[in-house]
Amino acid sequence: MSSTPETNPRVVIVGAGIVGCSLADELTARGWTDVTVLEQGPLPAPGGSTSHAPGLVFQTNPSKTLTEFARYTVEKFNSLEVGGVSCFNPVGGLELATTPERLAELHRRAGYAASWGIRGEVVSAARCKELWPLIDESMVLGGFHTPDDGLARALLASRAQLERAGARGARFLDRHTVTGIEQEGGRVTAVVTDRGTFPADHVVSAAGFWGPVIGRMAGVDVPLQPLAHQYARTRPLPELAEATDEASRPILRFQDRDLYFREHTDRLGIGSYAHKPLPVDPFAVLAYDEARANDLEMPSSFPFTEEDWAPSWDDCRRLMPSLREAEIEEGFNGVFSFTPDGMPVLGESRALRGFWLAEAVWVTHSAGVARAVAEWMVDGRPGTDLHECDLTRFEDAQRSPSYVRDRGSQQFVEVYDVLHPLQPMEQPRPLRVSPFYARQQELGAHFLEGGGWERPHWYEANAPLVDALGPLPERDAWSSRYWSPVAAAEARATREKVALYDMTPLRRLEVTGPGALDFLHGMTTNNLRKKPGAVTYTLLLDETGGIRSDLTVARLGPDRFQVGANSPADLDWLTRHAPEGVHIRDITSGTCCIGVWGPLARDLVQPLTRDDFSHEGFGYFRAKETHLGHVPVTAMRLSYVGELGWELYTSADLGLRLWDTLWEAGREHGVIAAGRSAFNSLRLEKGYRAWGTDMTDEHDPYEAGVGFAVRLDKGDFTGRRALEARGEPRRRLTPLLLDDPASVVLGKEPVYVDGSPAGHVTSASYGYTLGRCVAYAWLPVLPAGASVHVEYFGEKVPATVAEEPLFDPKMTRIRR
């Protein structure tokens, strides 16, 4: 490959830990060989988290993305060696259950493994004893055994990749402390160190818990909180006296007591998350030589805190009676990184072009992250869906130092907790509230949280409506958490009368300027060349045809559009591509939205306005700027629940007046407030997709069932060529109805076809109108009526492939 700036740009990576070395290897393997890796400490053990990492790699994770990162890390490290020593020891993994709740969780984790293609099984207590003879079998109810997990030799893997990258032209410079990031015209230009300046077209911060320090130099905030974590080694144990290998037994988790174990030949290494969070200020961490001068082994190794260790040591001795006579030989508190949601922070900064983050990455996911970031930099997109890791995912309200510290610390506390998929963090709350919050509290709203927003899931004021429903299927303890039968009553009221839904957290962008139409038309898949007043459902694709997002675009004027989007990444994507003269503004915080849906929606709204809200006067997928009572609103005739109605937008200062106006007018029609639990049930009955859950950029529109939003004859648009080149889909987002009316699943469960795992559930909810649980799943193409099984906590639940839409296929309820 030639060495022009376009094909071989100058890349400077800050940090030569496992992530920096992996990234240098992945970039140089793709032909980007002008790579300089700067490290403040000495190589090969520079003193960051990699230098003390115990190396446990458990691949199974609720996140498909993290599981894919871990799987690639195992594959790659298994293929690397230094001096004849492999960089990975595949001893397997074993997670123990000592409580019924944990055993159920292990069955759920086995489901994740089957969904994501990881070998694993729930085993008996006797099998756990065979795998780990030191444990007290009487304490154990069962375990989850993953034979392909094991120990990453992090420093060895760093060295192997350093040598490979170096052979391709990369250079690694230790003892270079970064002191500044130079920029010009909004682009990064160089990295300044205490030993010289290094010009750069791209800079990647892979500095680990020093990430916020490097970020501040670039003017980029890095939402990362370092915390100290206890790790100890025993003295030699008689039970391991014959050991010759570094480790031969599976890496072990005792999550009911926040502990993990690994062998160090004739000793045990023990890590604990049981102690209180110990936040570390990354700006106060000592440099390598300063740390050594202060009797620290390395900057990331803090003194062991005996008082925090004592309870964990008691738990260790209960699990392994042979430790009752053992002693701890050494211990330290190792520093590593947490984010507010526990996921890595990856991607290019919008504030400074060419400045990339590869932060908050553990050894477990290091090679997988490096591959994804390298693909992103070289090819323009990663091969793995990264929306959970994208640095743009955090709202401004989630970026304060206090928020990052509080949520990062809570992530530490919850590392091994049994967490429900709907379970919100409790602090800091409330943070973001809609203008209707006071009224929602008065109605007994049960709030969950997302994106910092308080979101009502049901209202206790509607509890009296439950009696009229008749008996509902009994739920198990897991599916009944963060659920109430009130949701069924709210869904029925929406189908039969009218309900108000708070849609304020949905993102709203304003796009204006003389080139706004041409810009949006070329960025999206549907035809936007319609007269003002039109609303269009459309898709944002990348160049490969993958779905970056789905949008509703309302043309409110010749050069003025309101775009309903999904995440901050949509704003970032559109802003990156907007031509001069097109202005994009996030108006979410300054506005609010109420969905008024149900067969009586028109009866409620029409008396409040002089404008014609009849079907003939205000058609489906149309918009009007009007007044309801004293409130100016933008009304859009859209429905995400499959019923007649409108989304009503106004400014935040008038939001409470809008709610009260609608509430008072709706009294005679039996109006209720309804929450997201009912909302999710209703939208799944209609087959409406949720981006980020049902479809991502790993899927194309035809696979995902949204090909109707693609107009290949409208002219060029991003992703069109890729779609034209694609053949018939070999997989589809498939609607399932569980056969047993009493069965419920929640999402991410594996789906079996002819006895073998063939896909996984994305979204699921009980369909109260249908009397069955609805589940959408990615599966090979199957005919309607085909029988499959969904695994729920180890039980195979029969289900049938259904035809879409499941409810009101002729759309008569919406278009009346």
Side-chain angles (χ1 to χ4, degrees):
M1 183 173 288
S2 63
S3 295
T4 64
E6 292 76 18
T7 59
N8 197 25
R10 300 165 297 180
V11 180
V12 175
I13 299 172
V14 181
I18 189 66
V19 178
C21 291
S22 297
L23 181 56
D25 182 48
E26 296 287 339
L27 285 173
T28 55
R30 287 165 174 77
W32 282 21
T33 56
D34 191 350
V35 175
T36 301
V37 183
L38 302 174
E39 174 54 58
Q40 63 179 342
L43 292 173
S49 300
T50 301
S51 301
H52 65 68
L56 283 70
V57 177
F58 286 90
Q59 296 173 83
T60 305
N61 192 283
S63 165
K64 178 175 177 283
T65 298
L66 288 188
T67 301
E68 290 181 1
F69 287 163
R71 174 165 42 210
Y72 181 72
T73 300
V74 168
E75 292 173 359
K76 185 174 187 181
F77 290 2
N78 255 321
S79 71
L80 298 175
E81 62 177 43
V82 175
V85 179
S86 173
C87 294
F88 191 78
N89 185 359
V91 293
L94 179 63
E95 303 177 37
L96 301 177
T98 60
T99 64
E101 294 77 16
R102 181 66 62 179
L103 185 59
E105 167 74 356
L106 295 188
H107 278 287
R108 196 160 66 97
R109 289 181 60 75
Y112 293 146
S115 291
W116 314 145
I118 302 296
R119 286 203 303 157
E121 63 174 338
V122 176
V123 298
S124 66
R127 178 58 176 153
C128 293
K129 179 71 171 179
E130 290 177 11
L131 292 166
W132 256 91
L134 275 63
I135 66 172
D136 179 357
E137 182 183 351
S138 68
M139 287 183 60
V140 178
L141 302 181
F144 176 46
H145 181 222
T146 46
D148 300 322
D149 290 340
L151 292 165
R153 298 182 173 104
L155 286 176
L156 212 61
S158 296
R159 180 179 164 190
Q161 293 176 101
L162 180 155
E163 292 175 353
R164 295 204 317 186
R168 301 185 190 112
R171 55 177 176 166
F172 291 76
L173 304 176
D174 62 1
R175 298 292 189 174
H176 281 65
T177 299
V178 174
T179 58
I181 306 292
E182 292 186 349
Q183 52 187 285
E184 183 178 343
R187 283 205 62 89
V188 70
T189 58
V191 177
V192 182
T193 76
D194 58 350
R195 297 175 64 179
T197 298
F198 297 84
D201 302 301
H202 296 275
V203 174
V204 185
S205 177
F209 59 79
W210 282 288
V213 178
I214 303 302
R216 180 176 291 182
M217 296 178 192
V220 175
D221 68 303
V222 180
L224 175 161
Q225 176 60 55
L227 287 111
H229 161 58
Q230 289 198 317
Y231 192 79
R233 294 193 192 196
T234 66
R235 294 188 184 278
L237 301 176
E239 294 80 3
L240 302 179
E242 304 300 319
T244 56
D245 295 332
E246 171 204 20
S248 58
R249 295 179 177 85
I251 50 177
L252 183 69
R253 278 175 167 169
F254 180 23
Q255 290 145 302
D256 289 321
R257 289 295 181 268
D258 298 306
L259 291 164
Y260 64 81
F261 304 82
R262 59 152 295 180
E263 295 169 292
H264 292 281
T265 312
D266 60 352
R267 295 163 170 80
L268 280 187
I270 307 167
S272 171
Y273 293 99
H275 56 85
K276 65 181 181 294
L278 301 171
V280 173
D281 180 357
F283 294 90
V285 176
L286 300 176
Y288 188 89
D289 291 329
E290 292 175 312
R292 301 283 288 188
N294 283 271
D295 296 324
L296 297 177
E297 183 179 353
M298 62 186 81
S300 60
S301 176
F302 283 30
F304 196 60
T305 47
E306 294 281 357
E307 66 279 9
D308 293 318
W309 173 253
S312 291
W313 187 226
D314 289 340
D315 290 330
C316 294
R317 288 167 160 173
R318 277 192 288 271
L319 179 68
M320 299 184 188
S322 59
L323 294 181
R324 290 170 187 168
E325 304 301 321
E327 295 179 352
I328 296 299
E329 183 174 60
E330 59 180 348
F332 65 96
N333 287 1
V335 181
F336 63 141
S337 303
F338 286 81
T339 59
D341 60 3
M343 300 294 287
V345 181
L346 312 177
E348 184 185 20
S349 168
R350 187 168 74 230
L352 181 60
R353 297 293 186 237
F355 184 79
W356 295 74
L357 297 180
E359 297 291 9
V361 182
W362 295 4
V363 170
T364 301
H365 310 114
S366 54
V369 164
R371 178 177 66 171
V373 173
E375 291 169 339
W376 205 346
M377 296 175 71
V378 175
D379 303 326
R381 77 180 295 273
T384 302
D385 167 47
L386 297 186
H387 82 273
E388 294 176 306
C389 310
D390 194 313
L391 63 88
T392 64
R393 70 187 183 273
F394 294 112
E395 307 281 351
D396 289 344
Q398 297 174 295
R399 291 180 171 273
S400 71
S402 295
Y403 186 94
V404 173
R405 183 190 64 244
D406 292 348
R407 287 289 172 98
S409 296
Q410 189 62 25
Q411 288 291 338
F412 177 92
V413 171
E414 295 179 351
V415 161
Y416 283 166
D417 286 0
V418 177
L419 298 176
H420 192 276
L422 293 177
Q423 184 171 339
M425 286 199 171
E426 296 304 322
Q427 296 296 331
R429 290 181 62 194
L431 184 62
R432 307 178 79 187
V433 299
S434 77
F436 328 125
Y437 184 64
R439 298 293 184 263
Q440 293 165 342
Q441 287 180 303
E442 293 167 2
L443 293 170
H446 184 91
F447 293 98
L448 300 182
E449 184 252 12
W453 288 100
E454 294 297 317
R455 303 183 182 210
H457 273 242
W458 67 85
Y459 295 84
E460 287 301 325
N462 297 323
L465 302 178
V466 174
D467 294 338
L469 293 175
L472 291 171
E474 288 190 15
R475 289 202 172 206
D476 64 277
W478 187 252
S479 65
S480 62
R481 290 183 67 185
Y482 304 103
W483 173 85
S484 168
V486 173
E490 293 176 359
R492 180 173 178 178
T494 307
R495 292 277 188 240
E496 296 180 353
K497 294 184 179 181
V498 62
L500 306 185
Y501 287 82
D502 181 0
M503 306 302 290
T504 301
L506 299 185
R507 183 166 306 279
R508 293 171 289 285
L509 309 177
E510 181 184 73
V511 182
T512 58
L517 174 60
D518 290 341
F519 166 62
L520 289 172
H521 190 73
M523 289 294 293
T524 64
T525 60
N526 213 333
N527 177 28
L528 300 186
R529 297 193 187 281
K530 302 173 184 177
K531 293 179 180 179
V535 182
T536 306
Y537 177 79
T538 188
L539 307 172
L540 277 180
L541 306 183
D542 61 26
E543 293 290 351
T544 70
I547 304 170
R548 287 192 57 91
S549 188
D550 62 342
L551 311 175
T552 53
V553 179
R555 191 177 187 188
L556 302 180
D559 301 317
R560 182 166 64 93
F561 296 81
Q562 181 172 308
V563 177
N566 284 295
S567 75
D570 296 341
L571 174 63
D572 179 68
W573 180 257
L574 292 171
T575 302
R576 287 175 184 270
H577 292 86
E580 187 175 351
V582 172
H583 306 286
I584 305 172
R585 187 167 64 97
D586 190 329
I587 61 172
T588 309
S589 296
T591 56
C592 60
C593 178
I594 300 175
V596 183
W597 291 312
L600 301 182
R602 184 176 288 116
D603 298 315
L604 189 160
V605 175
Q606 182 63 81
L608 299 174
T609 179
R610 296 179 180 179
D611 285 306
D612 183 2
F613 270 57
S614 69
H615 182 63
E616 295 73 22
F618 196 156
Y620 192 51
F621 268 88
R622 298 292 297 173
K624 282 186 180 182
E625 293 181 295
T626 183
H627 287 80
L628 295 181
H630 297 93
V631 182
V633 300
T634 299
M636 298 186 196
R637 191 168 168 201
L638 307 174
S639 175
Y640 206 52
V641 299
E643 296 293 336
L644 171 69
W646 288 265
E647 292 179 358
L648 304 173
Y649 299 89
T650 192
S651 56
D653 59 323
L654 292 168
L656 188 59
R657 184 60 178 264
L658 176 61
W659 178 281
D660 289 344
T661 299
L662 294 169
W663 188 259
E664 186 61 32
R667 285 181 182 274
E668 63 179 291
H669 305 295
V671 71
I672 67 163
R676 293 192 67 84
S677 186
F679 176 87
N680 199 46
S681 170
L682 297 170
R683 70 100 180 167
L684 282 172
E685 289 184 332
K686 282 298 293 180
Y688 293 148
R689 276 62 167 154
W691 185 86
T693 301
D694 298 316
M695 57 188 185
T696 70
D697 61 6
E698 292 185 349
H699 311 110
D700 74 42
Y702 305 113
E703 296 172 327
V706 289
F708 63 86
V710 177
R711 297 288 183 268
L712 291 176
D713 60 352
K714 76 166 197 169
D716 197 24
F717 59 86
T718 303
R720 176 186 172 188
R721 293 174 186 172
L723 292 185
E724 290 177 326
R726 293 199 176 192
E728 284 296 312
R730 290 183 289 181
R731 60 177 179 176
R732 289 190 188 276
L733 184 61
T734 305
L736 306 176
L737 285 175
L738 272 58
D739 293 351
D740 183 351
S743 295
V744 175
V745 298
L746 300 181
K748 299 188 178 181
E749 296 88 356
V751 181
Y752 288 74
V753 178
D754 296 329
S756 299
H760 67 276
V761 174
T762 58
S763 295
S765 179
Y766 200 82
Y768 303 108
T769 317
L770 303 173
R772 291 286 192 281
C773 182
V774 180
Y776 272 78
W778 280 104
L779 291 170
V781 177
L782 297 171
S787 295
V788 300
H789 287 84
V790 182
E791 183 178 322
Y792 183 70
F793 287 97
E795 179 185 354
K796 302 292 195 305
V797 179
T800 301
V801 174
E803 289 196 51
E804 291 187 283
L806 305 174
F807 175 78
D808 187 26
K810 295 184 179 180
M811 303 284 283
T812 57
R813 299 175 71 91
I814 293 177
R815 300 178 184 273
R816 58 183 171 186

